[in-house]
Amino acid sequence: MLNTTIVAGATAGLTLLIGCTGAYAISRFQSRAIGIAGFLILASQMMPPVILMIPLYRILLGLDLDRSLTGLVVA
């Protein structure tokens, strides 16, 4: 139960931090690059998540995070 609470809390906090700063940048600043970044974010959400499993595993394996809570939070 403790591991689940740690992973859920860290994941929620990290997602909130990254999401809020990204949303602020996209909504506040208007430029061509921001429009392209918004389109890429939308396009990446249309991709099935299964495609990312093997590359993500290889990255976590290379960073020696494959058997840790930190690796689970990052994933």
Side-chain angles (χ1 to χ4, degrees), residues 1-23:
M1 190 69 145
L2 179 64
N3 286 341
T4 302
T5 305
I6 291 170
V7 170
T11 302
L14 189 62
T15 302
L16 189 63
L17 179 70
I18 292 171
C20 285
T21 55

Side-chain angles (χ1 to χ4, degrees), residues 11-69:
T11 302
L14 189 62
T15 302
L16 189 63
L17 179 70
I18 292 171
C20 285
T21 55
Y24 177 76
I26 288 173
S27 68
R28 183 75 175 146
F29 305 113
Q30 296 297 324
S31 73
R32 185 173 172 95
I34 296 294
I36 293 171
F39 175 74
L40 290 175
I41 290 170
L42 181 64
S44 70
Q45 290 178 353
M46 293 183 215
M47 184 174 43
V50 161
I51 294 173
L52 300 175
M53 291 180 86
I54 293 175
L56 182 62
Y57 178 73
R58 292 184 58 116
I59 290 169
L60 292 177
L61 194 63
L63 295 173
D64 200 30
L65 293 174
D66 59 332
R67 291 191 172 104
S68 68
L69 292 178

